[in-house]
Amino acid sequence: MTSPTPGSAGSRTVLITGGAGGIGQGIARAFAAAGDRVILADRDAAAVAAAAEALGAEPLALDITDAASAAEALHGLAERGGVDALVNNAGILSVHGTVTELEPDAYRSILEVNVIGTFNMLQAFARHRIVAGGGGAVVNISSIGGRQPTPGMGAYESSKAAVDSVTRWAAIELAAHGIRVNAVAPGPVLTPMLEMGMPEGSPAREAWSSRIPLGDLAQVSDIAPAVVFLASGSAGHITGVSLAVDGGQLLT
Ligand SMILES: NC(=O)c1ccc[n+]([C@@H]2O[C@H](COP(=O)([O-])OP(=O)(O)OC[C@H]3O[C@@H](n4cnc5c(N)ncnc54)[C@H](O)[C@@H]3O)[C@@H](O)[C@H]2O)c1
């Protein structure tokens, strides 16, 4: 049995969280280019309004850690035609620290967004799709860090290992409703913010590049097509995977 995303490219409504950020905007651009209606959600209301205007998308101010707000957002969208695909992209990347030094509250803050926030959106979307008669696709944005450790990044990495696990959990339960749940797991991505901190030729950039068999960090445009594919009917028989887009870093 295959489970196509309701509607074909060009007629879907896609909700993307973390839409004010570098990867979220790139994913939004790819869906918009396919003619889809894009709703960009972010907790930074001003930034998401600006990003949405630039992309011809609809902005939605939303903090994904608030389950009631997530449910309310999906109710509101259900009344305005519904949502066919959810891209759970919002995440925090900035909490770092070693096992011996990281404060528990810092760890808690990253789990709250990356794991509980992802779960809140997934739950609200799944309830919406089931009421709508089933079908639909979720793509969670994970990280290969969930499978390959880097010293000092374990809080973030363990949150992404949980995202991979939540992906499989939801995939097996929601398959009966024709809802597919997958993840895309990038290696380091050259968002405008990352590029500022790691300009070409810098020691930090060289250190990351040297771990990547295909030679350099990913561009945002390397990530978006994998997301669009997993959300589409072409991936109708794929659920529960976390697709690495990492230039081969996991091979090393
Ligand atoms: N940049 C990378 O190298 C990289 C690599 C692997 C995975 N990722 C993942 O890709 C996703 C996007 O990363 P990015 O590089 O674009 O980061 P970014 O910081 O540019 O964007 C993240 C966005 O999420 C939003 N956000 C944070 N907490 C939120 C909340 N509680 N509710 C709603 N919105 C919230 C932020 O306001 C921001 O606009 C993240 O999940 C990240 O973990 C990034």
Side-chain angles (χ1 to χ4, degrees), residues 15-21 39-49 58-77 80 83 86-91 113 116-122 124-125:
L15 171 60
I16 303 169
T17 67
I39 301 178
L40 273 190
D42 203 287
R43 72 175 169 191
D44 186 335
V48 80
E58 295 170 43
L60 178 64
L62 174 66
D63 183 341
I64 63 166
T65 63
D66 181 351
S69 298
E72 200 180 303
L74 266 298
H75 277 304
L77 291 169
R80 294 195 290 121
V83 180
L86 165 68
V87 181
N88 251 325
N89 165 75
V113 176
I116 306 295
T118 294
F119 165 75
N120 287 340
M121 293 304 297
L122 184 52
F125 176 79

Side-chain angles (χ1 to χ4, degrees), residues 63-172:
D63 183 341
I64 63 166
T65 63
D66 181 351
S69 298
E72 200 180 303
L74 266 298
H75 277 304
L77 291 169
E79 284 169 7
R80 294 195 290 121
V83 180
D84 304 304
L86 165 68
V87 181
N88 251 325
N89 165 75
I92 291 183
L93 302 84
S94 54
V95 172
H96 298 308
T98 61
V99 166
T100 52
E101 287 169 358
L102 188 75
E103 292 295 337
D105 278 348
Y107 198 176
R108 212 168 275 122
S109 71
I110 198 164
L111 294 176
E112 190 70 32
V113 176
N114 294 7
V115 185
I116 306 295
T118 294
F119 165 75
N120 287 340
M121 293 304 297
L122 184 52
Q123 183 174 70
F125 176 79
R127 287 175 173 169
H128 159 58
R129 289 307 322 164
I130 290 167
V131 169
V138 178
V139 182
N140 295 321
I141 305 302
S142 179
S143 164
I144 57 157
R147 287 177 257 177
Q148 185 186 71
T150 296
M153 293 184 66
Y156 172 73
E157 292 171 339
S158 54
S159 78
K160 292 301 189 176
V163 167
D164 283 348
S165 179
V166 167
T167 301
R168 292 186 291 270
W169 170 30
I172 198 159

Side-chain angles (χ1 to χ4, degrees), residues 155-239:
Y156 172 73
E157 292 171 339
S158 54
S159 78
K160 292 301 189 176
V163 167
D164 283 348
S165 179
V166 167
T167 301
R168 292 186 291 270
W169 170 30
I172 198 159
E173 291 186 5
L174 298 176
H177 299 283
I179 303 169
R180 297 180 301 99
V181 186
N182 292 293
V184 167
V189 182
L190 279 172
T191 58
M193 211 189 330
L194 207 86
E195 193 148 27
M196 256 189 323
M198 269 196 233
E200 202 160 0
S202 65
R205 176 88 164 258
E206 290 303 312
W208 277 108
S209 298
S210 67
R211 295 174 69 179
I212 302 172
L214 287 179
D216 199 2
L217 288 74
Q219 302 291 330
V220 173
S221 57
D222 293 320
I223 308 305
V227 178
V228 173
F229 165 66
L230 287 173
S232 75
S234 302
H237 205 55
I238 301 176
T239 197

